[in-house]
Amino acid sequence: MIRKTSLMGTAAALALLPAMAMAERGSSGHMNIIYWQAVSTMNPFLSGGTKEMNAASIVLEPMARYDETGELVAWLAEEIPTIDNGGVSEDLLSITWTLREGLVWSDGTPVTSADAVFTYEYCTHPEGGCSYRDRFANIDSVEALDERTVKVNFSDITPFPYLPFVGAGSPMIQQAQFADCLGARAPECTDANFAPIGTGPYRVVDFRPNDVIQFEANPNYRDPDRPFFQTITWAGGGDATGAARAVFQTGEMDYAWNLQLAPEVIEQMEAGGMGELLVDFGPLMERIEINFTDPSPDLPEGERSTRMHPHPILSDIRVREALSLAIDRELLTEIGYGPTGKPTCNFIVAPPAMASPNNDACLTPDKDRANALLDEAGWEMGPDGIRVKDGQRLELLFQTSTNAVRQDFQALVQQDWREIGVDTRLRNINAGVFFGSDPGSPDTYLKFYADVQMYASLFEGTDPTAHLEQRRCGREPKPDTQWQGQNINRYCNEEYDALWLELSREADPDRRQELVIALNDMFVQDYAHLPLVARGRVSAKANSLGGVILNVWDSEHWQIHDWYRIEN
Amino acid sequence: MADGAREPLVQVRGLKMHFPITSGLLRRQVGAVKAVDDVSFDILPRETLGMVGESGCGKSTTGRAVLRLYDITAGSIRIEGAEIGSLSQTALRRLRPKMQMVFQDPQASLNPRMTVAAIIGEPLDEHTRWGRRERLDRIYELMDAVGLNRNFANRYPHEFSGGQRQRIGIARALALNPAFIVCDEPIAALDVSIQAQVVNLLEELQERFGLTYLFISHDLSMVRHIATRVAVMYLGKIVELAPREALYADPLHPYSQALLSAVPDPDPSLAEKVERIILTGDVPSPSSPPQGCNFCTRCPQVMPVCREIEPETREVSHGRFVACHLHDATHDPTGGRTPGTRQEPNQQGVTR
Amino acid sequence: MFTYTLRRLAFAVPTVLIISLIVFLLLDLAPGDPTADLPLTIPVEVREQIRMALGLGEPVHIRYLKWLEMMLVNEPLHALANMTGWDVTRDAPRILSWQTRSPVGDIIAQRIPQTLWVVGLGYIFGVLIALPIGIISAYRQYSWFDQVGTFVSMVGFSVPTFFTGVVLILVFSVWLGWFPSMYDTTLEVRDWDSFVRQVKQIILPVSVLALFNASQISRFMRASMLDNLNQDYVRTARAKGLKEQTVVLTHVLRNSMIPVVTVIALGIPAVFSGAIITEQIFRVNGLGHALIGAIYANDIPMVQTITFIFAVLIVLFNLIADVLYGLLDPRIRYD
Ligand SMILES: Nc1ncnc2c1ncn2[C@@H]1O[C@H](COP(=O)(O)OP(=O)(O)O)[C@@H](O)[C@H]1O
Ligand SMILES: [Mg+2]
């Protein structure tokens, strides 16, 4: 899965270019981009938001990036280090990157391995609060071997060493600019944070937080013919509808990001005819998590939703399977996401090579089978159409964040479950509270004081190892860990843990792929959670904007240097 | 009447003031409040015509209509011989100095944001071309005339007592040397102790400037004190109009009788003779007055004819007009004469 | 009057302090987490570190006092330094936004121009339209003008700005293409051309706000005029033989303006708070947008600061309204 040649995409992009009269830097003039959620800072390490990462990605660049197929492409590095070319050590304990020759920052000074070491120090400083701190996890040291060579030493065997310095979340910053901004001083460097010096095709001319950014072509960009657009106005604010309208209907904007709109609105906008919808699917997946532990409020605080008490109803796999079989995923997708969603039955939905082909049966709901399973499990239909067992009604509390689509989903699922004799109480919680990490709040998705809950999750990059690791036994949120942890459903399966351990030590790409699929299948066939919809990334571009290749594995502006104006 | 010089100063004939009642979304007119319904009277120069009646009977409306502060529904109003009943408001402006009004509520009738000098001086600005000096002199002169301290010229109305405010109102009315002033309950809002002072001031000014008053009041003793003749109104109509003495001694209309029986007579020996007549029932609404005589619903001496035919106003004896079927038989052979045109030759002497 | 004003000002100080405490505590204690908005891929340990870096580790009273000092001393000093170039700040720490990690004061200073332009003009035009409409409607009560005015103001008041805004965009930006649907905050008026562009981009949002404001204020003006038109002093004025114009404009209008002026003054703080919805629709990134964005992102320092400034403005304009009332109405005496 790693492309061994250092492909800049240049040749490919050139092939895409129609007979452009003057394919030279700045020849396309000005471009308008709209982010309806405005960019807060140009320093991605201080934000962690996708919008900041995307904006920064046209200025700050990593050693390597993922292309639109999820494959690694060398970017600032000469090539992708592998075991074969000696870049990755045989013991899987280090990776060595070599910078391209003659690289310079936009201020004209050379890019050196010291900048990479500094980037590592900057992001791992304990007082800095770096949002991408996890990219540098399990690292003993980062050392500069010479001017252009950087070696990353891991503290543990790391079969997938492409996290530090890879992707839009781990770009290089300039030591000279940020030297005084380490740790607690990071926020004080407003000028640097708002206009970082980078190697990318653009540099910041004017940054207004949460409003607008003006970019111009980096005069020191390594490709003398690129970028084609001389200047960019990167507007922020407004709302998703307004952004879509500006691309599709009024033509004021060339590119709009993240158009999470109702399917019928999108359809209506597209009728404007001035733009084109871009959809691509990444690892983002909307699911219903099933609580394996008892959330009963009768339990003492500190024991609710912990492994001390298994769930009285949902510990039975037959019930979980019945719940899954009752849901009409196609309908949910159509109503909630239209062209921007795909129904799914998998935990790992992307990249395509990692997505299991073995679970598609759940796409067709089967309420008869669901009913049969519940009968078999001893849940008898009560007079009010709700099943009962040992005097207990089959009643579930279903929580999620406040969000129109999620509330639609809740209602539809409630209806589906009602038909198999399951009564569902619905609850929605303000997103800021639900996804907050306040250990004092009873309403977070981490506490999971409910029987089932719905949200979407994803993983960064193309490697799902860390994502799969989250469901290991012991990684669940619990009082001992201040309710931190991502094993949201409190899943615990020795077999799963053993298989994951194998994956974590495996370096061979093909075998890794098999293991990922096996783990996925084990998890979803245990009905540990109920995948619903794979959600796409949705953007829009003007018809006159050429060269855009949507990429869900990296910043969607990853090859903005190839974007150009289609003349007609 | 030989007294040709004593042509009436104010001559009102068939005055009607109906306020439309509208309803519904489109505000269609569905009826009218007949606040003043066919009223006629004369006021001679330098005379004071008192106008009495229960609250709501249309006294104020009559007073305002006579000064054309309303666009009247029908009728004719002549002041100093000039017909103003149908004049436009613009044309009227020129005549306004001749006729003025003193309002009931001295507080509400003075613009709270203007000083005394501005209030009194404003009509001067509008109707004269005087300079500052002249204007100020006149303001002081008027303030002196009504007994206000000149030093208070730059104060605002709210800084004065009720009596003083009414003096401001009077000074304002006098500013342009009017001939005719409608005093609409000028003392009703004042303390009893001050009422006499203001009435005396009005009398004094009448004497000094030769004013003619229409003095509206529901205080019958005050009217008796100041008026030469008195008109009694009931439900938009004048039911009786007579010289003061005659009316108070011998009211002809049952309504006048009831009204006057409630007044303590200044002469206690007389008081015993009059027993109080207590009227029962409510005053009908002016938007739907009863058929026949307006007073028939409450009249202690009601006859069948009263519910059928509206009584005409007749001069039953010299200068005494009444609209009541009780007096149909005794009606003056010269009947059909308009009330008020006949006067006692010595009437002028009676006032003072 | 003067001593009254001074006394009210003196009273305002503890008021403002209490408001600051309430604003701080309310927002501080409100549920919500500045890291909640971050992608779920960011691990909880990292989130905790981010929270520490945001200064959330300290006890609440220390944070309040620090914030108060920055709010009342350091930020004004910085503003002064920015305006005059004097070095008075001695690098005193400033209130930092959690979203942008930059001084809140700078962001607010950046946002004020567009807010004042758009929301302020919307207010001014609203008032300018409202006054004559209110006056004529009252003077010609129940005339067709009044009926139409009543209908339009009912519509203007009850139809939300997000609806009028979108309708205007659809008509004037999408169909006719006359005006842009998005406001460009970077546009600088330098010559005739850029002036025309500024006018074009400001027309739609200003119209939406002007309609909304006008419908409110015109109703108020009308009611106040009607109150006064039936007063005896108006009859007095007519009896004086004044021109109708003088009667209405000097007597009735001046008295009717007293409450209207106070209402207008009390509405001014809302101009500074921005017009959240209109700003959102037309992408005018003013203070309203900054506030709502900060609320969504749980950027508490930003919310605290804007709310506090807003509260101070309300206190201030209440005072101004009171003083104005006293100046306009001789009946009111403050001592
Ligand atoms: N502007 C008006 N519109 C409608 N009705 C009125 C108006 N002014 C007075 N009226 C009505 O006319 C009648 C007479 O009122 P008014 O002349 O004020 O009585 P008075 O002065 O004798 O107490 C009352 O029923 C009153 O409600
Ligand atoms: Mg009256």
Side-chain angles (χ1 to χ4, degrees):
Chain A
M1 67 172 276
I2 295 160
R3 236 184 253 181
K4 304 229 162 82
T5 48
S6 118
L7 179 82
M8 254 292 288
T10 311
L14 264 183
L16 285 168
L17 291 183
M20 266 182 61
M22 1 143 242
E24 61 188 49
R25 179 177 295 171
S27 57
S28 286
H30 185 78
M31 165 164 61
N32 288 306
I33 294 178
I34 172 85
Y35 268 49
W36 61 272
Q37 286 172 317
V39 177
S40 301
T41 174
M42 283 297 291
N43 183 343
F45 294 136
L46 293 187
S47 156
T50 314
K51 55 200 168 81
E52 283 79 21
M53 187 176 84
N54 284 358
S57 77
I58 71 170
V59 174
L60 300 173
E61 296 177 309
M63 292 282 189
R65 276 199 158 147
Y66 294 99
D67 69 8
E68 75 276 15
T69 62
E71 304 222 8
L72 270 178
V73 187
W75 211 257
L76 293 183
E78 283 199 318
E79 58 175 358
I80 301 293
T82 59
I83 297 181
D84 292 348
N85 65 20
V88 177
S89 65
E90 293 284 351
D91 57 6
L92 304 179
L93 280 170
S94 72
I95 181 168
T96 306
W97 295 92
T98 307
L99 288 162
R100 286 156 174 270
E101 227 180 311
L103 266 184
V104 289
W105 296 102
S106 59
D107 63 0
T109 58
V111 181
T112 69
S113 48
D115 291 311
V117 175
F118 175 80
T119 301
Y120 163 74
E121 281 168 2
Y122 180 90
C123 191
T124 53
H125 195 288
E127 284 162 30
C130 172
S131 307
Y132 296 105
R133 172 75 184 77
D134 58 320
R135 299 300 179 90
F136 296 104
N138 301 323
I139 293 178
D140 266 348
S141 65
V142 175
E143 45 184 328
L145 299 184
D146 62 38
E147 281 285 285
R148 287 172 48 219
T149 325
V150 196
K151 185 173 174 206
V152 180
N153 297 307
F154 297 103
S155 54
D156 202 354
I157 290 175
T158 307
F160 187 81
Y162 307 111
L163 275 180
F165 305 118
V166 175
S170 200
M172 295 239 294
I173 54 174
Q174 191 193 38
Q175 179 174 24
Q177 192 184 21
F178 284 92
D180 291 334
C181 307
L182 282 173
R185 307 206 56 189
E188 289 169 27
C189 297
T190 306
D191 291 342
N193 293 334
F194 284 180
I197 293 168
T199 52
Y202 290 94
R203 65 177 185 186
V204 178
V205 178
D206 181 29
F207 178 84
R208 299 191 194 181
N210 288 335
D211 183 9
V212 66
I213 320 167
Q214 310 267 23
F215 292 103
E216 66 177 8
N218 171 4
N220 291 311
Y221 188 57
R222 54 189 174 276
D223 183 337
D225 291 335
R226 285 182 170 74
F228 295 128
F229 283 101
Q230 180 60 31
T231 49
I232 298 176
T233 298
W234 189 299
D239 51 27
T241 322
R245 187 182 298 121
V247 171
F248 289 116
Q249 295 189 320
T250 68
E252 284 162 87
M253 293 287 160
D254 296 306
Y255 191 90
W257 163 82
N258 191 24
L259 301 181
Q260 300 271 330
L261 295 168
E264 62 275 10
V265 176
I266 291 183
E267 208 170 293
Q268 185 193 331
M269 290 283 171
E270 276 186 297
M274 302 177 85
E276 182 188 327
L277 197 68
L278 307 170
V279 186
D280 199 3
F281 292 90
L284 181 61
M285 188 265 291
E286 185 88 21
R287 80 287 300 279
I288 293 176
E289 293 285 350
I290 289 180
N291 200 340
F292 278 71
T293 62
D294 191 354
S296 164
D298 302 336
L299 294 171
E301 196 58 40
E303 295 187 16
R304 280 180 86 178
S305 285
T306 66
R307 295 234 327 274
M308 296 165 83
H309 305 278
H311 198 284
I313 302 171
L314 298 171
S315 298
D316 187 339
I317 187 175
R318 289 170 297 191
V319 177
R320 300 198 298 270
E321 185 179 354
L323 293 178
S324 177
L325 283 168
I327 297 173
D328 188 342
R329 291 172 171 79
E330 304 263 7
L331 183 71
L332 289 177
T333 309
E334 196 184 310
I335 288 178
Y337 296 97
T340 70
K342 272 197 305 206
T344 185
C345 302
N346 281 322
F347 180 23
I348 304 298
V349 292
M354 300 280 193
S356 164
N358 309 326
N359 306 303
D360 291 348
C362 91
L363 293 180
T364 19
D366 185 348
K367 294 212 169 75
D368 295 338
R369 170 108 186 87
N371 273 313
L373 277 167
L374 289 175
D375 289 341
E376 191 188 313
W379 289 96
E380 281 161 21
M381 198 58 96
D384 56 349
I386 301 303
R387 290 174 184 274
V388 189
K389 180 174 164 181
D390 306 333
Q392 191 190 7
R393 276 163 56 86
L394 186 37
E395 190 185 87
L396 300 176
L397 174 61
F398 182 3
Q399 69 180 18
T400 187
S401 70
T402 309
N403 165 314
V405 175
R406 292 212 166 111
Q407 267 72 80
D408 282 352
F409 272 34
Q410 274 188 317
L412 290 165
V413 169
Q414 184 182 41
Q415 180 59 37
D416 281 336
W417 286 353
R418 173 81 231 208
E419 286 172 30
I420 57 165
V422 178
D423 194 16
T424 317
R425 278 188 302 130
L426 304 182
R427 179 157 185 257
N428 65 74
I429 301 161
N430 172 287
V433 175
F434 188 63
F435 294 116
S437 55
D438 177 6
S441 167
D443 295 324
T444 62
Y445 79 116
L446 293 166
K447 280 261 175 81
F448 202 172
Y449 284 175
D451 301 304
V452 291
Q453 67 183 3
M454 178 166 60
Y455 64 91
S457 184
L458 76 169
F459 54 92
E460 208 61 55
T462 55
D463 179 52
T465 312
H467 200 56
L468 290 164
E469 195 260 359
Q470 290 173 346
R471 303 298 170 144
R472 282 168 71 203
C473 206
R475 301 300 303 246
E476 66 276 359
K478 52 187 178 239
D480 303 352
T481 59
Q482 271 75 51
W483 296 95
Q484 296 177 1
Q486 282 293 320
N487 187 353
I488 299 299
N489 53 355
R490 285 80 165 138
Y491 185 62
C492 194
N493 180 346
E494 278 173 27
E495 255 181 278
Y496 181 92
D497 292 357
L499 204 58
W500 182 82
L501 213 61
E502 199 186 331
L503 171 67
S504 72
R505 314 215 160 253
E506 182 57 64
D508 174 47
D510 295 336
R511 177 67 188 140
R512 289 179 63 80
Q513 184 175 324
E514 277 171 39
L515 285 169
V516 167
I517 290 174
L519 278 162
N520 174 81
D521 291 354
M522 185 181 291
F523 192 71
V524 298
Q525 284 164 16
D526 211 0
Y527 300 96
H529 72 187
L530 314 179
L532 300 176
V533 183
R535 286 167 47 187
R537 197 181 269 186
V538 190
S539 293
K541 71 167 194 72
N543 291 335
S544 68
L545 184 64
V548 180
I549 301 170
L550 195 61
N551 182 347
V552 292
W553 307 110
D554 206 291
S555 158
E556 49 188 275
H557 309 285
W558 65 297
Q559 38 76 272
I560 198 167
H561 52 269
D562 286 335
W563 295 11
Y564 62 94
R565 176 75 62 208
I566 298 169
E567 311 284 348
N568 41 16
Chain B
M1 190 96 40
D3 198 354
R6 288 187 51 80
E7 270 293 295
L9 181 80
V10 179
Q11 205 176 33
V12 175
R13 290 291 173 275
L15 178 65
K16 287 187 185 176
M17 185 64 231
H18 296 179
F19 297 107
I21 304 172
T22 56
S23 99
L25 210 61
L26 297 170
R27 305 198 59 82
R28 282 223 327 269
Q29 185 174 341
V30 294
V33 179
K34 296 174 180 163
V36 177
D37 200 20
D38 195 4
V39 160
S40 303
F41 58 87
D42 287 351
I43 311 177
L44 297 178
R46 296 167 164 262
E47 170 189 45
T48 299
L49 176 66
M51 183 167 272
V52 296
E54 284 166 287
S55 156
C57 68
K59 306 182 297 293
S60 297
T61 309
T62 308
R64 291 171 192 160
V66 167
L67 293 186
R68 282 295 318 279
L69 292 176
Y70 292 129
D71 286 332
I72 60 175
T73 311
S76 132
I77 303 162
R78 299 175 85 87
I79 294 191
E80 287 187 322
E83 173 64 50
I84 63 162
S86 50
L87 276 188
S88 73
Q89 289 293 342
T90 332
L92 267 172
R93 282 208 304 118
R94 216 172 18 85
L95 301 174
R96 289 259 174 238
K98 283 280 136 232
M99 42 188 198
Q100 282 299 322
M101 183 145 183
V102 174
F103 293 92
Q104 171 172 6
D105 182 347
Q107 160 101 45
S109 60
L110 300 174
N111 188 332
R113 291 185 57 199
M114 289 172 92
T115 60
V116 172
I119 290 171
I120 301 177
E122 200 183 24
L124 302 176
D125 301 338
E126 192 68 28
H127 298 281
T128 67
R129 297 190 172 279
W130 291 350
R132 274 172 56 95
R133 194 64 253 164
E134 249 178 319
R135 176 174 177 275
L136 200 62
D137 284 346
R138 174 67 177 154
I139 291 170
Y140 285 153
E141 189 185 70
L142 287 162
M143 290 181 74
D144 292 345
V146 299
L148 281 172
N149 189 331
R150 289 181 172 205
N151 297 333
F152 296 164
N154 287 320
R155 297 207 176 170
Y156 289 93
H158 70 271
E159 297 171 85
F160 293 88
S161 70
Q164 286 173 314
R165 271 182 224 148
Q166 197 54 294
R167 285 170 197 267
I168 301 172
I170 295 169
R172 192 224 86 235
L174 290 176
L176 291 164
N177 281 321
F180 175 52
I181 298 183
V182 174
C183 304
D184 185 1
E185 312 220 23
I187 52 171
L190 304 181
D191 290 350
V192 182
S193 56
I194 312 215
Q195 288 184 345
Q197 289 177 19
V198 173
V199 170
N200 288 339
L201 174 68
L202 285 171
E203 287 187 303
E204 196 186 305
L205 295 168
Q206 182 172 43
E207 188 80 337
R208 210 165 126 193
F209 300 116
L211 301 171
T212 304
Y213 289 150
L214 172 60
F215 191 91
I216 297 170
S217 179
H218 60 256
D219 180 345
L220 290 153
S221 19
M222 203 54 87
V223 171
R224 179 175 204 170
H225 173 76
I226 196 170
T228 330
R229 290 184 303 131
V230 179
V232 180
M233 274 193 87
Y234 182 79
L235 206 58
K237 291 182 186 293
I238 292 182
V239 295
E240 182 166 3
L241 193 158
R244 171 186 59 179
E245 311 291 53
L247 180 80
Y248 279 79
D250 175 25
L252 295 179
H253 195 281
Y255 179 66
S256 312
Q257 290 163 3
L259 208 58
L260 288 172
S261 76
V263 187
D265 199 285
D267 182 349
S269 61
L270 283 171
E272 283 151 35
K273 289 199 290 185
V274 186
E275 60 186 291
R276 279 196 69 170
I277 304 167
I278 310 241
L279 294 176
T280 52
D282 290 329
V283 186
S285 155
S287 55
S288 53
Q291 208 195 343
C293 175
N294 268 0
F295 190 52
C296 69
T297 55
R298 300 169 79 201
C299 185
Q301 303 171 49
V302 65
M303 305 176 293
V305 62
C306 299
R307 302 193 201 275
E308 302 289 330
I309 300 162
E310 196 184 331
E312 273 176 57
T313 304
R314 298 173 194 281
E315 185 169 29
V316 291
S317 70
H318 201 61
R320 298 202 62 171
F321 298 84
V322 65
C324 179
H325 289 301
L326 286 172
H327 302 277
D328 278 353
T330 62
H331 83 84
D332 186 280
T334 56
R337 289 195 51 190
T338 321
T341 44
R342 269 228 204 152
Q343 293 298 318
E344 300 283 338
N346 66 340
Q347 196 157 45
Q348 205 55 30
V350 179
T351 25
R352 194 85 305 247
Chain C
M1 194 76 215
F2 183 67
T3 47
Y4 168 79
T5 312
L6 279 187
R7 232 188 32 221
R8 279 291 307 267
L9 271 175
F11 248 117
V13 172
T15 315
V16 163
L17 283 179
I18 291 171
I19 291 176
S20 77
L21 184 66
I22 294 173
V23 163
F24 187 89
L25 288 183
L26 269 185
L27 290 168
D28 203 78
L29 302 178
D33 175 356
T35 63
D37 250 18
L38 298 180
L40 290 175
T41 48
I42 292 181
V44 185
E45 307 82 61
V46 175
R47 281 168 198 264
E48 193 51 33
Q49 282 190 0
I50 294 174
R51 289 164 54 83
M52 289 300 135
L54 293 175
L56 279 172
E58 287 182 85
V60 67
H61 61 279
I62 303 280
R63 278 185 287 130
Y64 171 64
L65 291 177
K66 278 190 174 175
W67 176 76
L68 198 64
E69 191 204 352
M70 292 192 285
M71 183 73 237
L72 298 179
V73 183
N74 301 359
E75 288 295 334
L77 281 181
H78 273 97
L80 185 70
N82 276 350
M83 273 186 285
T84 58
W86 301 336
D87 183 24
V88 286
T89 60
R90 282 170 277 110
D91 283 326
R94 308 188 59 180
I95 303 173
L96 295 184
S97 150
W98 285 349
Q99 282 173 95
T100 67
R101 305 294 185 95
S102 68
V104 166
D106 291 355
I107 298 175
I108 292 174
Q110 247 171 22
R111 296 306 178 88
I112 282 180
Q114 49 257 41
T115 295
L116 287 190
W117 268 114
V118 174
V119 189
L121 275 183
Y123 200 63
I124 292 174
F125 278 115
V127 170
L128 289 182
I129 300 168
L131 297 187
I133 290 182
I135 294 167
I136 299 173
S137 292
Y139 188 66
R140 305 221 174 283
Q141 194 186 6
Y142 305 131
S143 65
W144 67 266
F145 183 94
D146 183 31
Q147 313 270 16
V148 170
T150 305
F151 178 75
V152 169
S153 60
M154 209 174 66
V155 170
F157 187 61
S158 52
V159 173
T161 46
F162 65 76
F163 185 79
T164 31
V166 169
V167 168
L168 288 188
I169 286 181
L170 284 180
V171 173
F172 292 102
S173 303
V174 176
W175 291 346
L176 299 173
W178 291 354
F179 308 121
S181 72
M182 289 197 164
Y183 190 89
D184 176 5
T185 47
T186 60
L187 181 66
E188 268 176 57
V189 177
R190 259 181 271 102
D191 45 21
W192 176 250
D193 205 49
S194 52
F195 175 74
V196 170
R197 275 198 291 150
Q198 174 66 19
V199 170
K200 276 187 166 183
Q201 71 170 352
I202 214 167
I203 282 180
L204 292 186
V206 165
S207 310
V208 169
L209 290 172
L211 177 69
F212 184 74
N213 290 327
S215 50
Q216 257 177 316
I217 299 170
S218 70
R219 290 281 90 184
F220 212 83
M221 183 76 234
R222 177 179 181 271
S224 182
M225 280 290 285
L226 283 178
D227 268 357
N228 280 283
L229 271 171
N230 294 324
Q231 295 276 318
D232 273 355
Y233 74 82
V234 181
R235 217 167 266 132
T236 309
R238 292 223 172 87
K240 282 177 181 175
L242 304 178
K243 290 194 204 76
E244 192 59 15
Q245 194 184 326
T246 323
V247 173
V248 175
L249 294 184
T250 47
H251 288 259
V252 185
L253 181 58
R254 280 216 205 148
N255 280 288
S256 312
M257 279 311 282
I258 299 173
V260 176
V261 163
T262 30
V263 163
I264 292 173
L266 288 177
I268 292 177
V271 170
F272 286 86
S273 84
I276 292 170
I277 293 167
T278 313
E279 285 186 7
Q280 177 127 329
I281 292 169
F282 293 98
R283 209 199 70 80
V284 182
N285 293 334
L287 281 176
H289 172 263
L291 178 62
I292 199 75
I295 290 173
Y296 280 134
N298 277 307
D299 183 355
I300 290 176
M302 188 82 175
V303 180
Q304 279 166 338
T305 310
I306 296 181
T307 317
F308 179 69
I309 293 176
F310 189 35
V312 170
L313 285 173
I314 290 178
V315 171
L316 183 72
F317 276 90
N318 259 298
L319 176 70
I320 291 177
D322 277 359
V323 171
L324 268 180
Y325 210 114
L327 288 177
L328 291 175
D329 190 342
R331 282 170 298 185
I332 310 275
R333 287 276 294 282
Y334 304 113
D335 24 41

